[in-house]
Amino acid sequence: MDLLEYQGKQLFARHGVPVPRGGYAATVEEALDVADGIGYPVVVKAQVQIGGRGKAGGIKVAQDRDEAREHCEAILGMDIRGLTVHELWLEEASDIASEYYASFVFDRSAKATLAMLSTKGGMDIEAVAEEDPTAIAKLHIDPLLGFQDFHARRLCFEAGVDADVVRGVTVLLGRLYEAYEQEEAMLVEVNPLIVTGDRQVAALDAKVTLDDNALFRHEENAEMRNVSAEDPQEVMAKERGLTYVKLDGDIGILGNGAGLVMSTLDVVAQAGGAPANFLDAGGGSKAEAITSAVEVILSDPKVKAVLFNIFGGITRCDEVARGLITAFEQIKPTVPFVVRLDGTNDKEGRALLAEANLANVHTVATMDEAASKVVEVAR
Amino acid sequence: MDLLEYQGKQLFARHGVPVPRGGYAATVEEALDVADGIGYPVVVKAQVQIGGRGKAGGIKVAQDRDEAREHCEAILGMDIRGLTVHELWLEEASDIASEYYASFVFDRSAKATLAMLSTKGGMDIEAVAEEDPTAIAKLHIDPLLGFQDFHARRLCFEAGVDADVVRGVTVLLGRLYEAYEQEEAMLVEVNPLIVTGDRQVAALDAKVTLDDNALFRHEENAEMRNVSAEDPQEVMAKERGLTYVKLDGDIGILGNGAGLVMSTLDVVAQAGGAPANFLDAGGGSKAEAITSAVEVILSDPKVKAVLFNIFGGITRCDEVARGLITAFEQIKPTVPFVVRLDGTNDKEGRALLAEANLANVHTVATMDEAASKVVEVAR
Amino acid sequence: MSIFVDSDTRLCVSGITGREGTFHAMNNRRYGTEVVAGVTPGKEGQDVEGVPVFNTFAKAVAETGANTAMVFVPPRFAADSILEAADAGISLVVCITEGIPAHDELRVYTHLQRSGDVRLVGPNCPGILSPGKANVGIIPASFFKEGNVGVVSRSGTLTYQIGNELAQRGFGNSSIVGIGGDPVPGSSFIDVIAEFEADPQTELIVMSGEIGGSAEEEAAEYIAANVSKPVVGYIAGFTAPPGKTMGHAGAIVSGSQGTAVAKAEALEAKGVRVGRTPTQVADIAVEILGG
Amino acid sequence: MSIFVDSDTRLCVSGITGREGTFHAMNNRRYGTEVVAGVTPGKEGQDVEGVPVFNTFAKAVAETGANTAMVFVPPRFAADSILEAADAGISLVVCITEGIPAHDELRVYTHLQRSGDVRLVGPNCPGILSPGKANVGIIPASFFKEGNVGVVSRSGTLTYQIGNELAQRGFGNSSIVGIGGDPVPGSSFIDVIAEFEADPQTELIVMSGEIGGSAEEEAAEYIAANVSKPVVGYIAGFTAPPGKTMGHAGAIVSGSQGTAVAKAEALEAKGVRVGRTPTQVADIAVEILGG
């Protein structure tokens, strides 16, 4: 789960990471109240889950109340790379002497957390990484020992942090790691991490990705989920425990297990088709899950045919068949279905389907055959 | 540093370990206010750093305000095995169905923390350990992995905890370990850990020993130090950075390094003397520390002679000599001193002493000689 | 021969009293796996169709000599169960549970790596099947028979698909190992391939990967340097949507690694033939071993 | 020969710019120890009487090939400094600092044990002297000369006392190792005695213990099983006040272990002669090796 900037900053603040004073607003009037409380100049920041807000005009400094109103009115409702701004964060203007970059990210390859620090913050850090990899100091953290002060000092000295703020950056990094670990984030990123004119350090931006699997331990974080910002079909799928990603094509795909679904997309593409989605019904899918899945797939009006590719292990094919039959009863789909069932209880599943004799459902024996068939019926 | 029961319970509560509701009082009137707030029946508990309070009459249940007054008056000022009761803790009376025992202790031999749990709580656990060692479930904790739920369950099932409170005890133990580790305790001990009639668990007593070396990280805990309960000479020594333990004899001993001081006590005892104290002036002792040390030793009126046994490594003998000379100027001791200086700058130290020509100071060459001499002059 | 599980396997199932736990434990037993114990705290003294249940792994191991654990408990309890099994002296832990928090996986992985000889397979994996010998997990065993092809896969259902394609061509398997696709799998492609290389029964190794991470690229390096047996690869996800990159930091970490194309090319560069569909994988196997 | 430190030692001193750090670093260098670097964060580019100072151990090791660290920083920074030295590839860390929190020591000890080949001596120890070769720490070297007696001790000043008694009888030392008396010493009596047993120069081992803990009892067992060279023991604290017991739990843990009498008896039961005073230790050494 990705947090908005203001959510990330609130999470940082809980762990003592210094952030500028600020407040949240969803309307212009709320925003002006917040701005008055902070005092002027004040920074008005669009809260959307996308980079490049500044360039798009989503971040503005206001010198007084009138200017603040002007900026808030301009930014609320603004479209930033396809996302509409519904929320604002206002904060005190910072006196920036230097801009650094800091992050902790869960590095799967290394099976460890990677810590990064650079004095070339405030700009596109990926570009920095490409042009001058030595400008980013990196090291991996032992998860059982944790991030130690010496790690922070090493990053600071390697990155070339100003000597007088090494202590401040060391403390900030320690707290940032605490936030990362205790909140079970997959990423915490601060760009820029600023040094102010009076040599204080603070996180001027916050990018936080939390581990969805760990949200059950963090109620406060689970509540931050911003459903409105997500694709409605993906939300629908998530609420039903399904993994769904919308694609551009017209063939709806359902499978069990991410690998098999990915493989199905590949095989359909090789057969000349264009998948409309990725939908993993998961291990042990029950009939209800299958019914829900059909609903999610068909909620995309572009879908011209649907492919069910099931190889049952923990999933039982009879459950899948039952779910499909229920879906037909409830939704009465008009597009053709191609169904391939193999694995646990496949005979029972196929028998159920044969018995139900659903209109427009083609049962096939192999995955390759299923792909050819669905491409054919989608034409 | 040992905490009083109420301090331990407050520390527990900070980590979510359930403890009965209660309050602190230093006078009868305060106590009655607290008792009124809690309601009756209420338990009045003497706060002294010693076991066996209950048997000595230091813990009483009061059914009403009059009885509470009676108990508070009896307990405040009471002498329990040599300690005067100056403080009270009052708490709600608990409905006790079972009494368990739980502890985490820093086990030097194993270089790990030992967790212990027994269902034979509420009594002398050392006696239980002797009579029926299997009645205490034990296991060691990996400090990097920490105390896991499975450790707690294993202790519960091995100790024979009632099945319906295994979950509750598991949670309590997890929090107790958190308190132990995060507060950097050398010991947390709960005896009894009670199960109430409605099957809740709570810590009815709290014995906590904190690591003095870690107090700099725990301001809140450092403030709990109860100076009045300590021996005034030991407090004086501690304030001056010296390790001092009072003994029963009449020969004051000063050395540098715990091992050398212990060895000096042994050699003096073998020479027929009775040491009056253990005083380790520490590594790198400066002149001021030596002067302070003389003050501390001579504050014990029983001291008839003083032995200085210094083998300088980080400590420089000239500093020791200077400190002794200053002490003679300031305190003008009347008892004889025997001084043995060896190690770093020993020649300079001996020269300074020779030059100062202090009355009643005997300089000797070896430790054995020093012991014989001090026993002789103490007669 | 086979790897990891065989007729010496003595299985203890964590979560045996749950619906899925019971179902698959019994399924494994019917296949011939020796299921000697189950663990469910508070249910000691009960049995599940004759399999005794214990409160702790320590007791289960002491009483039954269990040497292998299958973990079937919900995600919030799974890390604890793996650690408990390892602490009790179990030498192979197969974790089926899906959805374990990533930081839990990281701590468990690091701890097991440091503290001894416990092998973890999974989490979020279908388990291990050694046809004709033992099945530990949820792999539908009826599709597979004993043979000379070792299969290792990040994906469960894809494993069955590939195994099935091979079976249709008449190939059997020494062992089929699902390593799972979680952020921190206990065993990697390399760990499993090394075992297949050493296993006399295995004559061909099939590895089935997918987009994300760099495990396939690392395996390619390892195979080139250490493996004498033929290896056939498969990568799923050529047409998959780009995965979630974790901020700019994520992009810096992974670089250009992780795409299906990059993985297939990495394998082919090291002489591993890569099938573009499960069917092609079987076709290549026929070419190598003879039909 | 000698153990731990010798003419191959390349010393890096953590806290070299502090008063005590400078004093003892220079003292060690005057003795002949190769002091190649110092570490003080923020002071890189400076030097201490010609010894270059670095911000980090990583850089100090990279630039100077330091292989041994001496830690002299205040207690709140000491654990971090030990870990930093180990992380940078230092193989021997000698920690002089006194007063390190016990939980810090426990974590450091456990981490170093698991993660490789770093030896820690101390904390709260006087260091290691190999007479005629190198001195790392605060042992006053002028009292000792090269010879065939290895000394290992929990106490600093007592080490000098015993060493001095031996010197007065004409004995020199292969190495003198102070292991420190802290709750979790990085090296134990056993670790050091094993090295002396293997060191051809050492013909007699003197171990000086004190009340508390069970390290001496464990050493007695180890000596009986593994040590062929004569060992003379000393235990301080026969008349010491009873130590702080840590509650009832502490009493249960330690049982009757830990008293001077128990320790001396444990050693004597395993054939180790125990002197009752430092002078007696020297007398026994004379008997064993000849005066």
Side-chain angles (χ1 to χ4, degrees), chain B residues 46-346:
Chain B
Q47 298 298 294
V48 283
Q49 229 129 34
I50 206 152
R53 283 178 300 165
K55 281 184 200 157
I59 302 178
K60 296 274 187 198
V61 182
Q63 296 301 331
D64 54 34
R65 196 169 210 272
D66 288 345
E67 210 182 338
R69 176 187 296 278
E70 203 177 298
H71 291 329
C72 291
E73 284 171 350
I75 294 172
L76 268 177
M78 173 186 272
D79 179 285
I80 299 182
R81 295 167 64 192
L83 292 177
T84 307
V85 179
H86 297 295
E87 300 172 289
L88 295 177
W89 178 248
L90 296 99
E91 70 185 15
E92 55 181 341
S94 295
D95 166 25
I96 302 174
S98 311
E99 295 185 305
Y100 297 162
Y101 167 94
S103 63
F104 292 98
V105 60
F106 200 97
D107 182 352
R108 294 172 58 142
S109 302
K111 296 181 178 180
T113 295
L114 180 69
M116 291 193 271
L117 182 68
S118 174
T119 49
K120 298 200 170 177
M123 55 181 97
D124 181 352
I125 197 72
E126 282 178 66
V128 172
E130 258 176 48
E131 284 158 25
D132 180 11
T134 62
I136 305 177
K138 302 177 189 177
L139 52 79
H140 283 104
I141 310 302
D142 177 329
L144 297 177
L145 186 65
F147 186 71
Q148 304 291 315
D149 276 357
F150 83 83
H151 290 126
R153 288 197 306 273
R154 184 165 167 178
L155 289 170
C156 286
F157 289 118
E158 279 187 20
V161 162
D162 291 342
D164 65 334
V165 294
V166 165
R167 186 75 210 130
V169 174
T170 296
V171 170
L172 185 150
L173 289 177
R175 291 178 180 165
L176 193 62
Y177 181 78
E178 183 194 298
Y180 166 83
E181 197 202 22
Q182 291 187 5
E183 305 290 343
E184 303 189 69
M186 303 305 283
L187 166 78
V188 295
E189 187 170 47
V190 179
N191 191 17
L193 188 175
I194 59 162
V195 182
T196 62
D198 56 353
R199 313 310 286 166
Q200 300 300 304
V201 296
L204 202 62
D205 197 359
K207 182 155 182 54
V208 175
T209 304
L210 298 172
D211 179 5
D212 291 339
N213 285 340
L215 286 179
F216 69 86
R217 281 198 282 243
H218 306 280
E219 275 180 37
E220 203 170 350
N221 295 341
E223 284 165 12
M224 291 195 284
R225 196 172 146 213
N226 183 0
V227 174
S228 69
E230 297 172 25
D231 179 277
Q233 277 167 293
E234 292 186 10
V235 172
M236 188 195 217
K238 199 179 277 183
E239 280 166 2
R240 292 157 193 213
L242 308 165
T243 308
Y244 174 91
V245 183
K246 198 167 172 177
L247 301 172
D248 287 333
D250 54 11
I251 297 176
I253 307 269
L254 176 145
N256 60 320
L260 183 63
V261 180
M262 280 195 286
S263 179
T264 308
L265 299 184
D266 291 350
V267 175
V268 167
Q270 284 177 20
N277 67 275
F278 171 104
L279 195 155
D280 176 9
S285 318
K286 297 286 169 306
E288 288 159 40
I290 298 298
T291 308
S292 295
V294 172
E295 252 185 296
V296 171
I297 291 171
L298 294 181
S299 69
D300 176 358
K302 284 204 293 185
V303 168
K304 289 202 278 185
V306 177
L307 170 56
F308 261 48
N309 187 17
I310 301 292
F311 205 116
I314 198 165
T315 300
R316 299 177 216 164
C317 293
D318 53 335
E319 288 277 347
V320 173
R322 253 180 234 115
L324 184 58
I325 292 164
T326 309
F328 266 71
E329 282 164 8
Q330 291 177 357
I331 312 169
K332 302 191 198 328
T334 54
V335 301
F337 276 60
V338 176
V339 179
R340 182 263 186 153
L341 297 177
D342 248 329
T344 309
N345 294 0
D346 52 359

Side-chain angles (χ1 to χ4, degrees), chain B residues 1-2 51 101 103-109 111-114 116 124-126 129 136 138 142-144 180-181 184-187 189 191 207 209-214 216-217 245-247 256-267 269-270 275 278 280 282-284 286 309 311-314 316 340 342-344 346 366-368, chain D residues 19-20 23-24 27 72 75-76 96 98-111 114 138-140 143-144 154-158 160-161 164-165 168 181-188 191 210-215 218 234-241 244-253 257 260 276-280:
Chain B
M1 181 171 88
D2 292 320
Y101 167 94
S103 63
F104 292 98
V105 60
F106 200 97
D107 182 352
R108 294 172 58 142
S109 302
K111 296 181 178 180
T113 295
L114 180 69
M116 291 193 271
D124 181 352
I125 197 72
E126 282 178 66
I136 305 177
K138 302 177 189 177
D142 177 329
L144 297 177
Y180 166 83
E181 197 202 22
E184 303 189 69
M186 303 305 283
L187 166 78
E189 187 170 47
N191 191 17
K207 182 155 182 54
T209 304
L210 298 172
D211 179 5
D212 291 339
N213 285 340
F216 69 86
R217 281 198 282 243
V245 183
K246 198 167 172 177
L247 301 172
N256 60 320
L260 183 63
V261 180
M262 280 195 286
S263 179
T264 308
L265 299 184
D266 291 350
V267 175
Q270 284 177 20
F278 171 104
D280 176 9
K286 297 286 169 306
N309 187 17
F311 205 116
I314 198 165
R316 299 177 216 164
R340 182 263 186 153
D342 248 329
T344 309
D346 52 359
T366 71
M367 185 163 154
D368 286 9
Chain D
R19 206 176 79 95
E20 297 290 330
F23 178 82
H24 291 286
N27 219 12
F72 239 111
R76 68 176 70 196
I96 311 298
E98 181 182 349
I100 299 180
H103 285 260
D104 278 3
E105 292 186 1
L106 190 56
R107 274 191 295 272
V108 167
Y109 176 83
T110 308
H111 178 72
R114 301 242 174 93
I138 63 173
I139 297 177
F143 291 91
F144 308 99
R154 273 169 72 179
S155 153
T157 45
L158 193 47
Y160 320 151
Q161 178 67 37
N164 197 32
E165 300 268 7
Q168 284 168 5
D182 265 13
V184 191
S187 294
S188 66
D191 295 330
E210 58 189 44
I211 50 169
S214 61
E218 288 151 22
Y234 176 73
I235 305 291
F238 281 85
T239 50
K244 233 176 157 174
T245 60
M246 291 189 295
H248 296 290
I252 294 171
V253 174
Q257 286 185 322
R276 296 292 147 147
T277 66
T279 312
Q280 268 188 26

